[in-house]
Amino acid sequence: MSDIVNEFNEYRQRMNDKILADNNKVIKRIFNLDTNAFAEGALDVKTKELLGLVASMVLRCDDCVKYHLETCYKEGIPKEQVVESLSIANLIGGTIVIPHLRRAYEFWEALEAQNK
């Protein structure tokens, strides 16, 4: 099951490299802004990642959900906190978010399996 993690990361890296190779100033600035927004600040990185996860779920962006799930996992955020954040996303986003919740659970399980 952990293949979905590797496939996602390889695809993301390959496409980001192609996008950034075009040297578009606006796109590079957007990528930089995204990186800096999630850096330590008045809010710690873990809180920002959970906020990013909730926003991504509500916006129904599976790639973003996967990215934030993996970062949450790497930051050592316990599954219970991730699941509670996902529950808030489902409350705010409504039942249309449930398919994304299924994929989020699948991806989290793949992260756990990959690191056993």
Side-chain angles (χ1 to χ4, degrees):
M1 170 130 53
S2 65
D3 283 343
I4 65 173
V5 174
N6 293 329
E7 289 171 9
F8 170 72
N9 285 322
E10 288 170 8
Y11 173 77
R12 183 175 181 275
Q13 186 63 55
R14 184 176 69 252
M15 294 311 299
N16 282 353
D17 289 347
K18 286 183 180 187
I19 290 165
L20 294 172
D22 277 342
N23 206 26
N24 180 283
K25 185 179 358 179
V26 174
I27 291 174
K28 281 188 169 189
R29 286 182 176 174
I30 290 169
F31 274 55
N32 185 274
L33 179 62
D34 181 68
T35 298
N36 285 309
F38 284 91
E40 192 82 21
L43 295 173
D44 62 33
V45 171
K46 292 178 180 183
T47 301
K48 288 182 176 188
E49 286 302 327
L50 290 171
L51 289 169
L53 177 60
V54 170
S56 297
M57 285 286 290
V58 172
L59 292 170
R60 302 188 307 270
C61 176
D62 284 332
D63 279 9
C64 301
V65 170
K66 288 175 183 176
Y67 174 81
H68 290 293
L69 281 172
E70 186 166 14
T71 306
C72 286
Y73 189 85
K74 288 177 179 176
E75 287 292 324
I77 298 173
K79 181 179 180 180
E80 295 77 17
Q81 290 181 6
V82 170
V83 170
E84 192 165 322
S85 298
L86 292 171
S87 72
I88 297 297
N90 273 264
L91 173 67
I92 301 302
T95 57
I96 197 167
V97 178
I98 291 172
H100 304 277
L101 177 63
R102 291 183 190 116
R103 289 188 286 276
Y105 262 76
E106 177 185 32
F107 198 77
W108 187 267
E109 287 176 351
L111 289 166
E112 290 177 324
Q114 186 180 56
N115 293 293
K116 283 188 178 181

